[in-house]
Amino acid sequence: MNKRQQLVLHATAQNVGLIGGDRKNGGAKYRRRRRSSTPTSVRLALQSPIMDSDSFKHFTVLMKDEKIICLTRCLEPPIGLPERWSILNIVPRARIHIPHGLPHCELLPAPRFHYEQREWRRFLDFLHCRDMVAILKHECFEFFILPPDTVSSSAHIKVAYKMGKGCYAPMHVGGHHAPKLEFETYTDPQHHAVKQERPLEKNYVRADPSYLQTLGQAHSGWIFGAVAELVDNARDAKAKRLDISIDIIYSKRAGKHIPMLSVIDDGHGMSHQDIVRMTCFGHKQGGIDDPDRLGKFGIGFKTGSMRLGKDALVLTQTANSRSIAFLSQSLNEGKDNLEIPIVSYRREGQYMEVDTSVHSETLAKYNLKAIKEFSPFDKYLIGEKTGLFHGRCTGTQIYIWHLEEWTSDYCLEWQCGLNGGSTFHQGDILIRSRRIRSRPGQISQKVPLDYSLRVYLEVIFLVPRMKIYVQGSLVKSRPLQKSLNKTSIETGNIMGKPLHLTLGFCQLEWEQANCGIFLYWHGRLIEAYKRVGGMIHNGEIGRGVIGVVDVTDLMNAGNGRVWVHNNKQGFQDCEAYAQLELWLGRKVDEYWDQNFDKLQLTKNAAVYKPDHEWVQCDKCRKWRVLSADFDSKSLPSQWFCYMKPFSQSCDIPEEKLEYEVITLSTKRSGCEDKEKLPQCKDDFYDASVKPKGKPGIVAVGAKRTRSEYHRACKK
């Protein structure tokens, strides 16, 4: 063994504690005591026959982020390695280019303690399972620790290396050190050159608390769009019941009673990972394959809640977990970065314990303290709200306070209905301004949907299933397709995608001078009262005519993109939408010319009833058509399939309107049979008289003449 190797062994032995002196008791005694505790792997390495050869090896402590992985020995490295060798970065093998034919050396474990042996195995397992490469450097060399073929606590790994630019010869221990030169670069997927002169510093996104105010501006035009986002989340959670209400609660921090909006559903709830995606930014909903799902990127809750108020608390429960999250402008006021406290629990038997697998108990206590300090929720109120879950029931509760203000009052005003399920006076939440949304060609100044939450929720879904309560009273859903007179279902094809448009007359909308098309996307209302065709140019053309169409397929741009605005209150200006407007205008004009061009609807206050009246079962939420001779006013407030006039089981499939037909109503209230009515000069058509053929059915596109209609009036 030459002198250089002896010096190296001496330095290495000092590093691992093989040689040392005890100043009090004498170095020899200490040396003898320490020699007996030398790790077997190190002793075997020192006694290895390789040490007597000309090949070179060296011991080094492998580290990552200032943490020790394991003591290792490197066989035949190109240069003397440092005592502590830090990994600069760990990247997927596919991200970097390692030329074939690079020289290799081997790295073998020499663990001093049991935990180093464990950490070495974990390190190899990480590289092997994820096909990762660890990058190191020393002097003018760059090293690549390649993923091993097998994983064990004693497995060795290959280390490829290359010289930097301007480095021509390896410098071993005892020789002159080569100057520090610039290293070659590798390229990431975005083709940005990364120099390995220092550890790679990643630039993570940081959000200023003022960003919460920016999020609320997504619904600046209409505050009910913010409420709709929370309703969408409840539908995505498969909730059967949703309660929306505004109550007065005492805030210790404000020192007074304040209103608080609550949105409570009985859906499947959210796990810790789900609520993190919901409250944080840029998290995609993964592993979900539901074509009817409205939420995809977890934006709606943040934009909706921050439009309604400054602070929002979420309390959610699944079968095995419970979480509390706090999205607050008050908590983050004056801070440089956004803080979102989250506390999660997991079920242990009959109790909920802090889930230490997602955060420590110390962090959970800190977050819970922040929630109690900056919200009206103390431990008693939190306990009261969690009691709404009734043990193992699931669901989500959202509470929003510091509501948006309108001058000296709030943007929203609320009315409490009568108790006992009374339909005489039902509670409602209203927009204080009562402003009507601007629509091209609109002349009506009475659109309750624009300022009444109850009216909006009546038609928010194409096929209503979920029970929705506003201020404690049930919202009576109104499926538009099932509540029209002179119903016509038109089919078309736009850009290779089929469409089905339902057109008909609605007496209520005629009385309010409204008309237009209701456009749905995934069964959710996006635009209401959209005027097309002649409706835009004349307020009387199309009065009372309502159209319903679902444009889910048409507004799908492909590759996960859709032509729907982020606030779900309109569509983007695209070719598909432009062609849709033209097609809708043509169909509405044809329908008006064929049915209502000279119809005097105000004569004798005649009331047109829907072609069919429907009722929804309070258990299965299916819609059942009523017989023509049944009085819908005699229905109880809660109706089930086994009751009259259906008198069957909930298992019976729901009736559907057929395409390619026009269904004409069989009777108009206020008029007798045509045989009993005298002829008069009032110029309006009697819809109870049908042309020849199958009763009540006329094929789409069939031409009708004036002679096919009888004229009638009330006595």
Side-chain angles (χ1 to χ4, degrees), residues 166-234:
C167 186
Y168 302 102
M171 295 296 179
H172 299 289
V173 174
H176 298 286
H177 292 283
K180 293 186 177 180
L181 303 174
E182 182 180 358
F183 285 86
E184 295 178 359
T185 60
Y186 65 91
T187 306
D188 64 7
Q190 286 75 29
H191 307 289
H192 297 300
V194 181
K195 292 185 178 181
Q196 293 298 306
E197 294 183 356
R198 60 174 59 90
L200 183 64
E201 296 180 0
K202 298 180 181 179
N203 183 24
Y204 291 99
V205 174
R206 302 182 66 184
D208 188 88
S210 61
Y211 186 54
L212 296 180
Q213 300 178 7
T214 305
L215 288 173
Q217 295 177 5
H219 302 283
S220 58
W222 195 46
I223 196 171
F224 280 169
V227 179
E229 294 284 6
L230 306 182
V231 177
D232 293 343
N233 290 344

Side-chain angles (χ1 to χ4, degrees), residues 255-389:
K256 61 180 181 179
H257 286 83
I258 60 174
M260 183 170 66
L261 173 69
S262 62
V263 181
I264 304 173
D265 68 64
D266 61 351
H268 51 58
M270 292 179 287
S271 64
H272 175 80
Q273 291 75 17
D274 294 332
I275 202 168
V276 167
R277 284 192 290 263
M278 178 181 178
T279 55
C280 296
F281 304 97
H283 291 272
K284 183 178 179 179
Q285 297 286 348
I288 298 175
D289 187 17
D290 186 355
D292 295 329
R293 186 176 181 87
L294 295 170
K296 294 183 178 180
F297 298 97
I299 300 176
F301 164 73
K302 292 179 282 292
T303 59
S305 60
M306 292 298 101
R307 172 65 174 92
L308 293 165
K310 293 183 178 180
D311 304 283
L313 183 136
V314 183
L315 183 60
T316 183
Q317 179 168 302
T318 66
N320 299 311
S321 68
R322 178 185 299 160
S323 297
I324 306 174
F326 189 34
L327 188 65
S328 170
Q329 297 183 35
S330 301
L331 170 66
N332 291 282
E333 187 175 355
K335 294 185 178 180
D336 296 330
N337 202 26
L338 187 62
E339 178 183 357
I340 304 175
I342 299 177
V343 183
S344 293
Y345 304 85
R346 62 184 176 187
R347 185 177 295 280
E348 297 290 345
Q350 298 181 350
Y351 302 97
M352 289 286 185
E353 303 290 344
V354 174
D355 190 353
T356 55
S357 64
V358 296
H359 53 53
S360 63
E361 291 190 9
T362 303
L363 180 58
K365 290 180 180 179
Y366 170 81
N367 290 340
L368 192 59
K369 181 181 178 181
I371 293 173
K372 294 177 181 178
E373 181 179 355
F374 288 90
S375 75
F377 287 80
D378 54 17
K379 62 179 180 180
Y380 301 105
L381 186 56
I382 293 177
E384 176 185 338
K385 298 305 181 182
T386 55
L388 298 178
F389 290 125

